[in-house]
């Protein structure tokens, strides 16, 4: 795609990498949930396994929350930056 | 709890739901959708995933199979972990195409094929009916639990009617709030708000029960973990051992179900205002599921420990608090379960009835009524709404019949799984359609067809007790085997047929739009069929009603800059009209209707190529316009600069005219005054000679001024006569310094030179060059404002021959704004009194240098005023024209 810039400034670069992280997230979650059960089903079936599973689940939710929060902020920043470039007038209502 | 009180509480709760739905619908009607559109309401509405199966069945599931119950919630959590790029994109594409259901999405993607939508609808109906029946059963079961003590005959009769009453009430609710209008976007604010409220009741009830069990019945978390450990390690509980294949298959299926189940697609995609709310729902919905699952295992274990062995594990959530005498808690839990069941039934019925009416009944009706219609223009709208109402009633009736026929014996969990695995068969076609442009309709038919056939034989029919149709290897789990086999065959068939098939043009256009998540490219398909919009308006009126249709057509006409209600049939307008219609009756039907009204010219491959060409041309045109704009901006800047310069020059010129009059007038005045005096005969000879001298001097000044002006005009016209000779710059600089020292002789300048470098011989007009040097050095003497003035003269030999002379002082220099003007004719810096000239010096220098074939420029940034005189090795030979002119 010839229209895309070859290199990005720092904020956009960060934003793209966060997008990559958002793609990796479900794959990582799937692996974390599947592998231990294939590996040692007996141990996961016990009370300790339940605690481990729910702990993992909670950590996953927190991770998604943090990732989405960062992504939204990054989006807002890049949006402001692109607005500032295309429209030099100060826009206080910008997200 | 008395049965009557229970019924009264239930009715009050139902009345509250009706009230909330009604209020929300009214608020939406008045345009107050801000809090209705809040991400929290959206997230809560997603909890319709947790039906009665979750509420009652999860505990039963956990008590039979331990931790395996969690797969049903881990699958959605993993899918929502990818909400940012996956679900957001799905919602964006679906909103773009005004998709009304999952069948509509697939049909729209694969060339607006209604037969494909019909097939998906069939699977949905087959899978959803037992599921709805299951909800009715759970409500009925929960009623029984409350009324086990002292049943009278009347009560038994009432109990048997419970499911029927519930079904009737839900049908009424769904018809009232689900089929109010045929809006272009299929959103139901009332329903969504009511189920959001029910979601809160659900979670509160479950958490309250969980807390009661862990801290009320058990001695806190440590004791609970102990009990779980004992149960898990009990050798009788072989079911608690996790099987990796089942674990994987169930996570896969529940991840698919959270998107593909009709009710989930309805709340997740159709009811979403935009894709941004998924940023919140992405973590909040998994958190909801987490909270719903946290206490499942404790409740299941406590139920096994406390309750008699023959108690139904699916009803532990009710029997546990009831046994412990916690009547209010039991009632709250009952309401939670009731909420779970009713919200699922309502949303599922809305979704399924939309599919039935859009993909079965309406196309059928349109086919049957092919003759031209001249009757009531409202007929189609009324028909579609009635078709939905009919579908809702039919769905309810069939579900109730199913419940009655099945006798309500099957375990809740297995019936839920039947629906999950059935809807998962749609996933390969949907995912492939969204990610792969090559996916085509034949592939979708093959995938969905084979997958659902296998599902029917291996999962659905066995769930009804019809077993052994397909052999299953004895050493594997039958369910995991069926799931993995059906999905694998489904996907392979889909891919294989897509690879070997050839999609038609409409499909290719749709594929591009879905996969790239771009607006469908407009094509000029129908513009040839009719040349006026009126038949289309009539058609739209039949679907939306007169008011809405007129508003849409007026807006479109206004967009084209036309007044009235009939826009031109541009491709853009037709595309938008079709998509809006698709929002009401499904894309396939909308496509067919526009085709039938507007002539039905088929889109061909060459049209498609043309579309691509148009897109390419539009892109090039945009690029060209951008370039032209940039060019214009550059020109404008240049013009702006030129204008500024002209304005400044004009001001300078006015000032100069005033100045030159003044300059001419001052000597003139003295000449006149002293001539007057000379007339006086009484003057002494000395006075006479002094006055005559003054007159002479003043006349000389006048002459010099006029000489300067004349000189300038001669130089400018290129008629200056050059007397060319070889000179050494050292001598010229010496002479210039000497001559210029007459200017402000009271100032002592330190001169920095490099005499050796100055021995550069060139051929030029020595007098003219000397004039330039004197002028520049005199200017430095005049204007340099440093306390200890220094004059720096550097001569540099230029490689190509010739030389450049830099003359700089250490004063404050010339401000940037004036640098552009100093070589102009009428320019003069500072105030006239200090300058003592008419501002022609540098203008003359510039002209001289031009005549000598060199140039004089101002060097900025040298710490003072600095000029560079550039000389060629020899002056240019005057052109023939110049000679002829002179002759």
């Amino acid at each position: 795609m010839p229209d895309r810039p070859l290199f990005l400034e720092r904020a956009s670069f960060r934003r793209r990498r966060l997008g990559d992280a958002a793609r990796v997230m479900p794959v990582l979650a799937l692996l974390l949930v599947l592998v231990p059960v294939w590996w040692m089903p007996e141990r996961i079936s016990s009370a300790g396994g339940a605690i481990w599973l729910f702990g993992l689940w909670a950590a996953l939710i927190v991770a998604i929350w943090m990732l989405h929060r960062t992504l939204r902020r990054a989006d807002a920043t890049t949006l402001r930056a692109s607005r500032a470039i295309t429209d030099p007038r100060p826009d206080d209502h910008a997200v | 709890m008395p049965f009557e009180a229970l019924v009264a509480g239930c009715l009050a709760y139902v009345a509250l739901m009706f009230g909330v739905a009604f209020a929300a619908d009214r608020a939406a009607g008045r345009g107050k959708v801000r809090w209705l559109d809040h991400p929290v309401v959206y997230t809560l509405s997603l909890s319709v995933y947790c039906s009665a199966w979750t509420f009652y069945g999860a505990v039963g599931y956990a008590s039979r199979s331990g931790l395996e119950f969690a797969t049903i919630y881990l699958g959605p959590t993993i899918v929502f972990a990818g909400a940012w790029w996956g679900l957001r994109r799905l919602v964006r594409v679906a909103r773009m195409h005004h998709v009304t259901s999952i069948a509509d999405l697939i049909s729209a993607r694969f060339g607006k094929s209604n037969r494909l939508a019909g097939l998906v609808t069939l699977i949905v109906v087959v899978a959803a009916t037992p599921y709805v029946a299951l909800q009715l059963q759970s409500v009925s079961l929960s009623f029984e639990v409350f009324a086990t003590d002292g049943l009278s005959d009347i009560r038994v009769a009432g109990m048997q009617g419970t499911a029927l009453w519930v079904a009737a009430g839900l049908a009424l609710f769904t018809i009232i709030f689900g089929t109010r209008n045929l809006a272009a976007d299929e959103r139901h604010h009332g329903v969504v708000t009511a189920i959001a409220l029910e979601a809160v009741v659900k979670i509160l009830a479950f958490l309250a029960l969980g807390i009661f069990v862990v801290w009320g019945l058990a001695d806190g978390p440590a004791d609970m973990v102990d009990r779980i450990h004992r149960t898990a390690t009990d050798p009788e509980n072989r079911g608690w051992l996790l099987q990796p294949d089942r674990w994987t298959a169930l996570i896969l299926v529940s991840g698919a179900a959270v998107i593909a189940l009709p009710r989930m697609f309805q709340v997740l995609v159709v009811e979403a205002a935009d894709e941004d709310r998924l940023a919140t729902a992405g973590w909040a919905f998994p958190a909801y599921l987490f909270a719903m699952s946290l206490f499942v295992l404790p409740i299941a274990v406590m139920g096994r420990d406390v309750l008699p062995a023959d108690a139904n594990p699916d009803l532990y959530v009710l029997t546990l608090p009831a046994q412990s005498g916690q009547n209010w808690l039991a009632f709250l839990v009952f309401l939670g379960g009731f909420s779970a069941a009713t919200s699922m039934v309502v949303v599922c019925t809305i979704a399924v009835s939309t599919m039935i009416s859009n993909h079965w009944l309406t196309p059928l009706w349109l086919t049957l009524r092919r003759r031209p219609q001249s009757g009531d223009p409202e007929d189609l709208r009324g028909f579609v709404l009635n078709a939905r109402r009919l579908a809702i009633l039919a769905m309810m009736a069939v579900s109730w019949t199913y419940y009655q026929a099945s006798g309500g014996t099957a375990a809740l969990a297995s019936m839920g799984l039947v629906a999950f695995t059935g809807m998962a068969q749609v996933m390969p076609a949907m995912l492939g359609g969204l990610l792969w442009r090559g996916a085509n309709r034949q592939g979708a038919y093959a995938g969905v067809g084979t997958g659902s056939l296998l599902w029917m034989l291996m999962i659905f029919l066995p769930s009804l007790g019809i077993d052994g149709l397909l052999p299953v290897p004895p050493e594997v789990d039958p369910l995991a085997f069926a799931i993995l086999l059906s999905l694998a065959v489904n996907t392979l068939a889909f891919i294989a047929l897509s690879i070997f098939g050839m999609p038609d043009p409409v499909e290719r256009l749709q594929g591009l739009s879905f996969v790239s998540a771009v607006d469908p490219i407009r094509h000029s398909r129908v513009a040839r069929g009719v040349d006026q919009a009126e038949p289309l308006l009539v058609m739209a009126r039949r679907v939306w009603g007169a008011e809405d249709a007129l508003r849409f057509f007026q807006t479109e006409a206004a967009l084209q800059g036309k007044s009235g209600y009939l826009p031109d049939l541009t491709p853009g307008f037709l595309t938008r009209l079709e998509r809006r219609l698709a929002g009401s009756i499904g894309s396939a039907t909308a496509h067919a209707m526009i085709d039938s009204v507007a002539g039905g010219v088929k889109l061909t491959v060459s049209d498609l190529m043309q579309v691509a060409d148009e897109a390419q041309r539009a892109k090039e045109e945009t690029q060209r316009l951008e370039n032209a704009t940039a060019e214009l901006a550059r020109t404008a800047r240049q013009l702006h600069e030129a204008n500024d310069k002209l304005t400044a020059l004009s001001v300078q010129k006015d000032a100069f005219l005033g100045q030159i009059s003044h300059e001419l007038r001052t000597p003139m005045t003295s000449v006149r005054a002293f001539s007057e005096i000379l007339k006086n005969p009484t003057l002494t000879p000395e006075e006479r000679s002094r006055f005559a001298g003054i007159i002479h001097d003043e006349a000389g000044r006048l002459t010099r001024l006029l000489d300067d002006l004349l000189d300038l005009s001669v130089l400018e016209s290129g008629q200056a006569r050059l007397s060319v000779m070889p000179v050494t710059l050292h001598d010229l600089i010496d002479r210039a310094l000497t001559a210029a020292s007459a200017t402000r002789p009271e100032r002592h300048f330190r001169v920095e030179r490099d005499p050796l470098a100055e021995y550069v011989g060139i051929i030029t007009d020595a007098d003219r060059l000397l004039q330039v040097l004197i002028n520049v050095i005199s200017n430095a003497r005049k204007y340099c404002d440093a306390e200890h003035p220094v004059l720096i003269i550097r001569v540099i030999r230029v490689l190509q021959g010739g030389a450049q002379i830099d003359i700089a002082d250490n004063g404050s220099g010339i401000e940037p704004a004036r640098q552009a003007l100093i070589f102009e004719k009428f320019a003069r810096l500072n105030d006239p009194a200090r300058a003592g000239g008419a501002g022609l010096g540098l203008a003359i220098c510039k002209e001289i240098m031009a005549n000598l074939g060199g140039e004089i420029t101002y060097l900025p940034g040298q710490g003072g005023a600095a000029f560079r005189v550039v000389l060629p090795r020899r002056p240019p030979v005057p052109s023939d024209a110049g000679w002829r002119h002179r002759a």
Side-chain angles (χ1 to χ4, degrees):
Chain A
M1 284 184 232
D3 301 318
R4 275 169 68 168
L6 277 178
F7 297 102
L8 297 164
E9 56 180 309
R10 197 180 154 77
S12 313
F13 184 86
R14 244 357 34 240
R15 168 68 188 73
R16 292 266 173 97
R17 297 298 81 76
L18 283 171
D20 294 346
R23 284 174 175 80
V24 170
M25 186 68 96
V27 179
L28 184 76
L30 188 65
L31 287 179
L32 282 176
V33 166
L34 287 188
V35 170
V37 175
W38 281 93
W39 186 17
M40 37 188 186
E42 286 88 2
R43 289 192 62 184
I44 302 297
S45 305
S46 68
I51 292 170
W52 181 86
L53 191 73
F54 277 90
L56 170 76
W57 197 345
L60 200 60
I61 289 166
V62 172
I64 302 172
W65 172 65
M66 279 167 58
L67 178 71
H68 283 194
R69 203 182 51 159
T70 329
L71 270 165
R72 277 168 93 157
R73 287 188 184 163
D75 268 2
T77 315
T78 40
L79 194 69
R80 262 204 304 276
S82 66
R83 282 213 185 142
I85 291 166
T86 51
D87 186 358
R89 279 172 302 175
D91 185 5
D92 293 333
H93 306 292
V95 184
Chain B
M1 186 175 244
F3 183 72
E4 287 77 13
L6 185 71
V7 171
C10 241
L11 287 178
Y13 185 71
V14 169
L16 174 71
M17 285 307 138
F18 270 80
V20 165
F22 184 69
D25 257 355
R26 268 191 48 166
R30 288 200 303 264
K32 293 180 179 173
V33 288
R34 245 186 76 201
W35 61 272
L36 297 176
D37 264 351
H38 198 276
V40 170
V41 172
Y42 177 72
T43 307
L44 285 173
S45 74
L46 291 181
S47 75
V48 75
Y49 181 75
C50 304
S51 63
W53 177 31
T54 296
F55 203 84
Y56 297 115
V59 171
Y61 195 167
S63 115
R64 280 182 287 268
S65 310
L67 212 48
E68 192 183 288
F69 87 92
T71 51
I72 307 300
Y73 313 98
L74 285 172
T77 301
I78 289 163
V79 169
F80 272 71
W84 188 269
W85 64 273
L87 295 180
R88 263 166 41 119
R89 182 196 165 98
L90 169 68
V91 170
R92 186 161 65 238
V93 169
R95 300 302 307 163
M96 200 183 280
H97 288 266
H98 291 282
V99 158
T100 58
S101 64
I102 186 159
D104 195 27
L105 177 87
I106 289 179
S107 128
R109 162 63 181 84
F110 295 107
K112 305 176 186 176
S113 150
N114 196 45
R115 259 180 288 176
L116 187 56
L119 175 66
V120 175
T121 305
L122 180 67
I123 299 169
V124 167
V125 170
V126 173
T129 309
Y131 205 6
V132 172
L134 165 71
Q135 311 299 317
L136 298 178
Q137 178 194 339
S138 74
V139 174
S140 163
L141 278 177
S142 61
F143 262 97
E144 274 174 36
V145 168
F146 270 93
T148 39
D149 44 343
L151 283 177
S152 70
D153 288 349
I154 307 160
R155 279 174 184 165
V156 171
M159 295 265 302
Q160 280 168 349
T162 306
L164 186 61
W165 281 111
V166 170
L170 288 176
L172 184 70
F173 183 91
T174 315
I175 286 174
I176 289 179
F177 295 106
T179 62
R180 289 199 122 180
N181 49 8
L182 199 54
D185 60 331
E186 275 297 324
R187 300 187 59 202
H188 308 90
H189 288 289
V191 173
V192 167
T193 313
I195 62 172
L197 187 65
E198 291 195 311
V200 176
V201 174
K202 263 190 289 193
I203 190 100
L204 284 183
F206 212 82
L207 287 179
L209 177 65
I211 290 166
F212 167 70
V213 165
V214 173
W215 279 277
L217 294 180
D219 295 334
D223 179 40
M224 204 66 245
V225 170
D226 233 31
R227 284 166 187 265
I228 293 174
H229 183 71
R230 271 204 302 276
T231 317
T233 47
D234 188 348
E236 278 181 30
N237 271 334
R238 286 312 295 165
W240 276 52
L241 182 63
L242 293 178
Q243 292 161 269
D245 49 352
R246 271 180 77 91
W247 180 262
T248 309
L250 288 173
I251 284 181
L252 212 62
V253 159
S254 58
V258 79
I259 302 172
L261 281 175
R263 65 174 193 278
M264 286 315 291
F265 193 86
Q266 180 77 24
V267 287
L268 183 72
V269 179
V270 181
E271 305 279 354
D274 55 53
E275 72 265 22
D276 280 344
R277 52 215 58 239
L278 277 164
T280 306
W283 62 268
F285 181 57
Y288 189 96
L289 295 179
F290 178 84
M292 282 301 281
S293 323
L294 188 59
F295 292 115
V296 167
L297 219 48
I299 294 171
V301 169
M302 191 51 79
R304 290 171 73 109
D305 285 0
V306 174
L307 295 173
D310 63 338
N312 184 353
D314 284 333
L315 294 174
Y316 280 171
V317 283
L318 278 176
T319 40
L320 263 181
Q323 286 260 325
S324 322
Q326 299 283 335
N327 274 337
W328 283 110
L329 181 60
F331 182 62
L332 181 64
V333 171
F334 170 78
L335 279 190
F338 187 71
S339 299
T342 51
S343 57
M344 182 277 172
V345 173
V346 168
V347 183
C348 183
T349 318
I350 287 180
V352 176
S353 71
T354 305
M355 283 188 241
I356 292 178
S357 88
N358 280 0
H359 305 306
W360 285 0
L361 301 179
T362 309
L364 187 71
W365 190 77
L366 285 174
T367 329
L368 292 179
R369 286 194 57 171
R370 263 292 163 208
R371 56 189 181 281
Q373 307 104 11
S374 52
D376 184 9
E378 301 269 314
D379 53 358
L380 189 58
R381 168 188 165 80
F383 173 80
V384 173
L385 285 180
N386 281 331
R388 286 194 191 168
R389 289 173 189 139
L390 190 71
I392 290 169
L393 285 176
M395 178 89 191
M396 249 4 140
V398 172
S399 299
W400 183 78
T401 315
Y402 184 96
Y403 159 66
Q404 289 295 95
S406 74
T409 48
L412 297 181
S414 67
M415 273 158 80
L417 274 179
V418 171
F420 271 42
T421 47
M423 285 321 293
Q425 303 304 329
V426 179
M427 276 312 274
M430 188 174 120
L431 273 185
L434 285 173
L435 299 175
W436 181 30
R437 265 179 78 180
N440 69 22
R441 196 185 309 162
Q442 287 93 333
Y445 272 126
V448 174
T450 50
S452 50
L453 190 69
L454 282 172
W455 165 74
M456 188 69 84
L457 294 176
M458 298 175 77
I459 299 174
F460 183 76
L461 291 180
S463 84
L464 298 179
I466 307 167
D467 243 331
L469 293 164
L470 278 181
V472 177
E475 65 272 18
V476 296
D477 180 78
L479 181 69
F481 178 74
I483 291 173
L484 295 176
L485 181 75
S486 61
L487 282 180
V489 172
N490 182 336
T491 311
L492 282 178
F494 172 62
I495 292 175
L497 269 276
S498 291
I499 285 176
F500 294 111
M502 181 72 201
D504 71 22
V506 177
E507 205 182 328
R508 285 167 70 180
L509 213 52
Q510 292 292 92
L512 172 69
S513 168
F514 272 78
V515 174
S516 314
V518 291
D519 259 352
I521 299 174
R522 292 147 189 183
H523 53 83
S524 42
R525 166 173 57 92
V526 251
R528 290 167 266 163
V530 284
D531 53 358
Q532 47 179 333
E534 206 166 344
L536 290 172
L537 178 59
V538 171
M539 186 191 71
R541 267 175 66 193
R542 290 173 58 207
V543 179
W544 293 331
E547 214 32 60
D548 286 350
L550 281 176
R551 205 179 308 128
F552 177 74
F553 273 65
Q554 192 179 21
T555 316
E556 285 292 329
L559 270 182
Q560 296 176 358
K562 291 179 76 176
S563 58
Y565 296 98
L566 296 177
D568 289 337
L569 295 186
T570 58
F573 161 65
L574 288 171
T575 311
R576 277 193 293 278
L577 175 65
E578 187 184 317
R579 273 197 284 154
R580 291 272 301 209
L581 280 176
S584 304
I585 51 175
S587 58
T589 311
H591 186 72
M593 281 184 76
I594 289 203
D595 263 4
S596 73
V597 171
V601 181
K602 266 209 142 3
L603 186 70
T604 63
V605 175
S606 62
D607 285 343
L608 209 58
M609 305 309 289
Q610 197 190 335
V611 166
D613 277 355
E614 275 168 17
Q616 183 60 32
R617 266 207 299 283
K619 206 172 157 190
E620 278 164 11
E621 184 70 5
T622 315
Q623 187 66 41
R624 206 183 55 73
L625 277 177
E626 268 172 17
N627 288 345
T629 312
E631 180 65 32
L632 272 179
R634 264 200 302 281
T635 316
R637 268 199 305 279
Q638 284 166 357
L639 279 175
H640 194 70
E641 275 172 18
N643 187 40
D644 283 353
K645 201 167 158 185
L646 281 176
T647 312
L649 274 177
S650 160
V651 171
Q652 291 275 351
K653 188 167 184 171
D654 289 347
F656 169 76
L657 281 176
Q659 175 65 20
I660 202 105
S661 318
H662 179 75
E663 292 285 334
L664 288 171
R665 198 181 165 79
T666 316
M668 219 41 145
T669 312
S670 1
V671 168
R672 271 184 60 195
F674 284 107
S675 335
E676 208 63 51
I677 295 170
L678 280 180
K679 281 186 187 163
N680 190 344
T682 59
L683 287 174
T684 61
E686 292 81 44
E687 283 174 324
R688 200 177 291 272
S689 113
R690 188 158 63 84
F691 293 149
I694 291 173
I695 292 174
H696 180 262
D697 286 350
E698 291 299 313
R701 238 175 90 189
L702 271 176
T703 315
R704 273 202 308 282
L705 190 59
L706 293 173
D707 277 350
D708 276 359
L709 282 171
L710 199 61
D711 200 13
L712 189 61
S713 74
V714 167
L715 285 165
E716 276 185 337
S717 65
Q719 290 170 12
R721 205 170 287 263
L722 301 177
S723 49
V724 177
M725 63 178 93
V727 289
T728 310
L729 289 182
H730 182 74
D731 296 346
L732 280 180
I733 293 170
D734 271 352
R735 283 166 63 192
L737 281 170
T738 315
S741 63
T743 311
R744 295 184 74 186
E746 75 281 2
R747 301 202 71 185
H748 177 70
F749 269 75
R750 189 160 59 80
V751 181
E752 283 183 15
R753 301 174 59 181
D754 179 8
L756 278 177
E758 289 172 5
Y759 285 98
V760 179
I762 54 167
I763 299 166
T764 190
D765 185 325
D767 287 344
R768 286 298 193 182
L769 184 55
L770 190 62
Q771 195 183 343
V772 172
L773 295 176
I774 291 173
N775 201 309
V776 172
I777 295 170
S778 305
N779 274 349
R781 293 190 71 99
K782 267 187 231 167
Y783 300 122
C784 178
D785 48 7
E787 202 180 332
H788 304 290
V790 179
L791 193 65
I792 307 157
I793 300 174
R794 292 267 175 275
V795 176
I796 301 156
R797 192 193 296 268
V798 179
L799 275 179
Q800 300 86 0
Q804 60 188 39
I805 310 165
D806 290 353
I807 301 166
D809 63 33
N810 62 343
S812 52
I814 297 167
E815 54 188 290
R818 309 292 303 266
Q819 287 171 8
L821 283 173
I822 52 175
F823 291 108
E824 299 300 334
K825 249 179 288 184
F826 310 111
R828 192 220 313 261
L829 304 176
N830 308 329
D831 61 315
R834 256 190 86 189
L840 290 172
L842 283 173
I844 292 174
C845 289
K846 185 181 160 203
E847 291 302 329
I848 290 173
M849 290 316 297
N851 275 275
L852 292 179
E855 60 170 351
I856 177 168
T857 48
Y858 183 77
L859 288 182
Q862 302 297 309
F867 291 87
R868 166 166 294 175
V869 177
V870 181
L871 284 163
R873 200 157 58 87
R874 53 169 72 243
V877 180
S879 64
D880 288 352
W883 289 113
R884 209 168 35 244
H885 199 78
R886 248 173 256 180

